[in-house]
Amino acid sequence: MKLGYRTAWLLLLFAVLSAFVFIFVPVWLIQPFAPQTTRSIEISYFLKSWSPIVTVILAILAVALALFIWSRSRRWFARAALIVPIFFIVVFTWFARQNHFEWMFNPLGNTQFSRVSEVDFLPDDEMVLAVKLNGEAAAFPVTFMGYHHIAQAVVGGTPITATY
Protein backbone atom coordinates (compact mmCIF):
# COMPACT_ATOMS: atom_id res chain seq x y z
CA MET A 1 0.00 0.00 0.00
CA LYS A 2 1.37 3.37 -1.03
CA LEU A 3 1.23 6.20 1.50
CA GLY A 4 -0.53 9.28 0.21
CA TYR A 5 0.15 12.92 1.01
CA ARG A 6 -3.14 13.46 2.89
CA THR A 7 -2.82 10.17 4.73
CA ALA A 8 0.66 11.22 5.87
CA TRP A 9 -0.74 14.49 7.23
CA LEU A 10 -3.52 12.62 9.05
CA LEU A 11 -1.02 10.18 10.55
CA LEU A 12 1.20 13.07 11.62
CA LEU A 13 -1.69 14.82 13.34
CA PHE A 14 -2.73 11.51 14.92
CA ALA A 15 0.80 11.06 16.29
CA VAL A 16 0.71 14.54 17.85
CA LEU A 17 -2.77 13.93 19.30
CA SER A 18 -1.66 10.56 20.72
CA ALA A 19 1.36 12.16 22.41
CA PHE A 20 -0.96 14.83 23.83
CA VAL A 21 -3.23 12.12 25.27
CA PHE A 22 -0.31 10.31 26.94
CA ILE A 23 0.83 13.55 28.59
CA PHE A 24 -2.30 15.45 29.55
CA VAL A 25 -4.87 12.77 30.37
CA PRO A 26 -2.95 11.81 33.56
CA VAL A 27 -2.81 15.48 34.55
CA TRP A 28 -6.55 15.84 33.97
CA LEU A 29 -7.38 12.65 35.88
CA ILE A 30 -5.26 13.50 38.94
CA GLN A 31 -6.62 16.95 39.73
CA PRO A 32 -6.87 17.95 43.37
CA PHE A 33 -10.42 18.02 44.73
CA ALA A 34 -11.80 16.29 41.63
CA PRO A 35 -13.45 12.91 42.11
CA GLN A 36 -10.96 10.12 41.47
CA THR A 37 -11.67 6.45 41.05
CA THR A 38 -9.37 3.49 41.23
CA ARG A 39 -9.77 3.11 37.47
CA SER A 40 -8.83 6.74 36.74
CA ILE A 41 -5.69 6.40 38.87
CA GLU A 42 -4.80 3.14 37.09
CA ILE A 43 -5.24 4.83 33.69
CA SER A 44 -3.18 7.81 34.81
CA TYR A 45 -0.37 5.59 36.09
CA PHE A 46 -0.40 3.47 32.92
CA LEU A 47 -0.19 6.51 30.62
CA LYS A 48 2.45 8.23 32.77
CA SER A 49 4.63 5.13 32.96
CA TRP A 50 4.47 4.42 29.21
CA SER A 51 4.66 8.03 28.00
CA PRO A 52 8.50 8.24 27.82
CA ILE A 53 8.82 5.35 25.35
CA VAL A 54 5.59 5.99 23.46
CA THR A 55 6.41 9.66 22.84
CA VAL A 56 9.86 8.74 21.47
CA ILE A 57 8.24 6.26 19.07
CA LEU A 58 5.65 8.85 18.07
CA ALA A 59 8.38 11.49 17.61
CA ILE A 60 10.35 9.18 15.31
CA LEU A 61 7.18 8.44 13.36
CA ALA A 62 6.36 12.16 13.18
CA VAL A 63 9.81 13.05 11.84
CA ALA A 64 9.59 10.29 9.22
CA LEU A 65 6.14 11.51 8.17
CA ALA A 66 7.34 15.12 8.11
CA LEU A 67 10.23 14.16 5.82
CA PHE A 68 7.80 12.29 3.57
CA ILE A 69 5.43 15.28 3.46
CA TRP A 70 8.36 17.66 2.86
CA SER A 71 9.51 15.64 -0.12
CA ARG A 72 6.00 15.61 -1.63
CA SER A 73 5.16 19.28 -0.95
CA ARG A 74 5.36 21.74 -3.81
CA ARG A 75 4.39 24.85 -1.87
CA TRP A 76 6.45 26.60 0.77
CA PHE A 77 3.53 27.02 3.21
CA ALA A 78 2.90 23.26 3.27
CA ARG A 79 6.53 22.76 4.28
CA ALA A 80 6.39 25.60 6.79
CA ALA A 81 3.25 24.09 8.35
CA LEU A 82 5.33 21.06 9.35
CA ILE A 83 7.00 23.19 12.03
CA VAL A 84 3.85 23.19 14.17
CA PRO A 85 3.31 19.42 14.64
CA ILE A 86 7.05 18.77 14.97
CA PHE A 87 7.31 21.48 17.63
CA PHE A 88 4.43 19.97 19.61
CA ILE A 89 5.71 16.40 19.37
CA VAL A 90 9.14 17.55 20.62
CA VAL A 91 7.52 19.42 23.53
CA PHE A 92 5.36 16.40 24.43
CA THR A 93 8.37 14.08 24.22
CA TRP A 94 10.32 16.36 26.56
CA PHE A 95 7.31 16.71 28.88
CA ALA A 96 6.99 12.91 29.16
CA ARG A 97 10.35 12.91 30.91
CA GLN A 98 9.32 15.49 33.51
CA ASN A 99 7.55 14.84 36.78
CA HIS A 100 4.70 17.23 36.12
CA PHE A 101 2.84 15.91 39.17
CA GLU A 102 5.65 17.45 41.21
CA TRP A 103 4.96 20.74 39.44
CA MET A 104 1.28 20.45 40.25
CA PHE A 105 1.84 19.47 43.89
CA ASN A 106 4.94 21.36 44.90
CA PRO A 107 5.66 21.84 48.62
CA LEU A 108 4.88 25.20 50.15
CA GLY A 109 8.14 26.93 50.92
CA ASN A 110 8.60 30.15 52.82
CA THR A 111 5.27 29.82 54.63
CA GLN A 112 3.93 33.05 56.06
CA PHE A 113 1.08 33.52 58.51
CA SER A 114 -1.47 36.26 59.13
CA ARG A 115 -3.97 36.89 61.87
CA VAL A 116 -7.46 35.63 61.11
CA SER A 117 -8.82 39.20 61.28
CA GLU A 118 -6.35 40.25 58.52
CA VAL A 119 -7.24 37.49 56.06
CA ASP A 120 -9.79 38.27 53.35
CA PHE A 121 -9.05 35.54 50.80
CA LEU A 122 -10.60 32.61 52.69
CA PRO A 123 -14.28 32.08 53.45
CA ASP A 124 -15.28 31.72 57.11
CA ASP A 125 -16.20 28.05 56.63
CA GLU A 126 -12.82 27.09 55.08
CA MET A 127 -11.47 23.82 56.47
CA VAL A 128 -7.93 24.09 57.84
CA LEU A 129 -5.23 21.88 59.28
CA ALA A 130 -4.44 23.48 62.62
CA VAL A 131 -1.28 23.21 64.69
CA LYS A 132 -0.78 24.67 68.18
CA LEU A 133 2.62 24.48 69.85
CA ASN A 134 4.00 26.42 72.80
CA GLY A 135 1.10 28.87 72.82
CA GLU A 136 1.36 29.70 69.10
CA ALA A 137 -1.12 28.46 66.51
CA ALA A 138 -0.99 28.11 62.72
CA ALA A 139 -3.61 27.01 60.24
CA PHE A 140 -3.07 25.60 56.75
CA PRO A 141 -6.13 25.90 54.45
CA VAL A 142 -7.11 22.52 53.02
CA THR A 143 -7.60 24.06 49.55
CA PHE A 144 -3.93 25.09 49.54
CA MET A 145 -2.71 21.83 51.05
CA GLY A 146 -4.65 19.87 48.42
CA TYR A 147 -2.31 21.32 45.80
CA HIS A 148 0.90 21.40 47.78
CA HIS A 149 0.55 18.45 50.20
CA ILE A 150 3.52 19.62 52.28
CA ALA A 151 4.10 22.85 54.17
CA GLN A 152 7.10 23.58 56.33
CA ALA A 153 6.85 26.23 59.02
CA VAL A 154 8.01 27.21 62.48
CA VAL A 155 5.22 27.20 65.06
CA GLY A 156 5.94 28.13 68.66
CA GLY A 157 9.66 28.05 67.92
CA THR A 158 9.48 24.45 66.67
CA PRO A 159 10.08 23.55 63.00
CA ILE A 160 7.17 21.47 61.69
CA THR A 161 6.13 19.79 58.47
CA ALA A 162 2.37 19.70 57.84
CA THR A 163 1.11 17.20 55.29
CA TYR A 164 -2.24 16.45 53.68
Side-chain angles (χ1 to χ4, degrees), residues 16 35 49 65 78-79 83 85 91 103 106 122 138 147 154 164:
V16 172
S49 62
L65 289 166
R79 288 180 175 177
I83 293 170
V91 168
W103 298 350
N106 58 337
L122 292 173
Y147 284 95
V154 176
Y164 176 74

Side-chain angles (χ1 to χ4, degrees), residues 24-95:
F24 289 103
V25 166
V27 173
W28 182 71
L29 290 174
I30 307 294
Q31 293 179 55
F33 305 109
Q36 297 171 358
T37 64
T38 303
R39 185 71 180 137
S40 68
I41 292 172
E42 287 171 354
I43 291 168
S44 178
Y45 180 76
F46 173 82
L47 293 173
K48 177 67 179 140
S49 62
W50 280 96
S51 65
I53 189 70
V54 169
T55 54
V56 166
I57 293 167
L58 291 170
I60 291 168
L61 174 65
V63 168
L65 289 166
L67 290 172
F68 175 83
I69 293 167
W70 181 278
S71 69
R72 303 291 190 279
S73 297
R74 294 187 184 106
R75 297 185 177 112
W76 68 269
F77 56 85
R79 288 180 175 177
L82 290 169
I83 293 170
V84 174
I86 294 300
F87 170 78
F88 279 112
I89 202 89
V90 167
V91 168
F92 296 152
T93 303
W94 170 81
F95 206 77

